[in-house]
Amino acid sequence: MRVAIVENTRITHHGQVGVALHEAAALIDLYKPWSGQPLPRTVDADALVVFGGEQSARDDHTHPYLPDLARLMADYTAMDRPVLGICLGSQVLARAFGADNHLGTAPEFGWVDVSLTDAGRADPVLSQVPKTFPIFQWHSDTFTLPEGAVHLAQSPTAAHQAFRIGRATYGTQFHFEASRTVVRDWIAHFPEVIDRMLPGWADRHPDQAEVKGKPADAHGLALARAWVALI
């Protein structure tokens, strides 16, 4: 299989998603449109992954490729090729299907409990995790649910944590690609930003990275493997 991956910022970890793609021997086409590299104009790969970034889904004035990225995600969906949008990727996916982006209204950071809806518990990807599970969050924006989308997961701060469109197009507000190793690297690269989000959190992270004696990132790889199985 061949998978197109879109990175939206200079430091992007593929994390658990990368592990699952490596296990499946996927070939990767990598795009970095934030650096000026053009996005593909046609649907060429078997699936599309769009990762997060510090910009909002509506920052066309600073990131003029965002409308084209939204169109590309919609085009892959129309061809029934799996799409995965994580954090900013989910926000751009929501935009692609006519939803509203709400900026700065739902800040979440750290290992946060997310709960599945009834549809989530029956979903082929989200059903791989418990009804309530800890997962990493780092965002301030949220979105309305696109018309026709299946609502899969929620949290008290951001109601639309995960949704599915069609067979295999998924948006997740949470960073399930973020293993504990990825989070440690984010702490090393962005200490001031993290301290503004949640003062003192980096010092507490080693304790918060385990929940009831189990790693807080234990569910990310299960989600990644289940999505890759749809390709």
Side-chain angles (χ1 to χ4, degrees):
M1 73 176 71
R2 182 176 294 276
V3 178
I5 291 181
V6 176
E7 296 183 355
N8 287 294
T9 191
R10 183 175 62 87
I11 296 176
T12 300
H13 293 280
H14 300 175
Q16 310 278 41
V17 174
V19 171
L21 289 172
H22 178 75
E23 290 175 346
L27 299 172
I28 303 300
D29 296 328
L30 184 61
Y31 299 93
K32 300 182 180 184
W34 58 269
S35 69
Q37 179 188 12
L39 287 166
R41 293 187 174 275
T42 58
V43 175
D44 297 321
D46 300 303
L48 172 66
V49 178
V50 179
F51 283 107
E54 66 274 13
Q55 64 271 42
S56 85
R58 295 287 178 175
D59 276 345
D60 298 0
H61 59 295
T62 56
H63 295 76
Y65 68 86
L66 287 171
D68 289 337
L69 179 56
R71 174 195 54 78
L72 189 66
M73 298 178 87
D75 287 349
Y76 267 83
T77 301
M79 293 187 67
D80 193 33
R81 300 196 185 185
V83 175
L84 177 60
I86 294 178
C87 198
L88 173 64
S90 71
Q91 297 161 8
V92 176
L93 179 62
R95 171 184 176 173
F97 285 90
D100 295 326
N101 295 104
H102 295 164
L103 308 185
T105 61
E108 288 182 302
F109 184 83
W111 301 102
V112 175
D113 280 346
V114 167
S115 297
L116 300 181
T117 64
D118 289 343
R121 297 176 73 181
D123 181 78
V125 173
L126 274 294
S127 62
Q128 303 305 304
V129 297
K131 182 178 180 181
T132 298
F133 59 100
I135 207 77
F136 198 79
Q137 304 271 11
W138 191 348
H139 67 95
S140 297
D141 302 341
T142 188
F143 47 82
T144 59
L145 197 67
E147 184 176 356
V150 180
H151 185 203
L152 302 175
Q154 59 198 353
S155 75
T157 299
H160 300 140
Q161 287 285 343
F163 64 93
R164 188 187 76 244
I165 296 173
R167 178 184 69 88
T169 289
Y170 284 81
T172 70
Q173 182 59 76
F174 51 82
H175 285 275
F176 72 86
E177 87 281 15
S179 65
R180 287 169 294 165
T181 303
V182 167
V183 174
R184 283 196 296 269
D185 194 64
W186 282 340
I187 291 170
H189 276 99
F190 308 108
E192 296 87 0
V193 177
I194 290 172
D195 203 51
R196 287 196 299 270
M197 289 289 295
L198 204 58
W201 182 86
D203 295 331
R204 300 191 299 270
H205 172 252
D207 295 329
Q208 295 189 352
E210 289 196 4
V211 178
K212 297 181 179 179
K214 296 183 179 179
D217 61 359
H219 309 298
L221 188 54
L223 291 171
R225 286 168 170 161
W227 180 78
V228 169
L230 298 176
I231 301 174

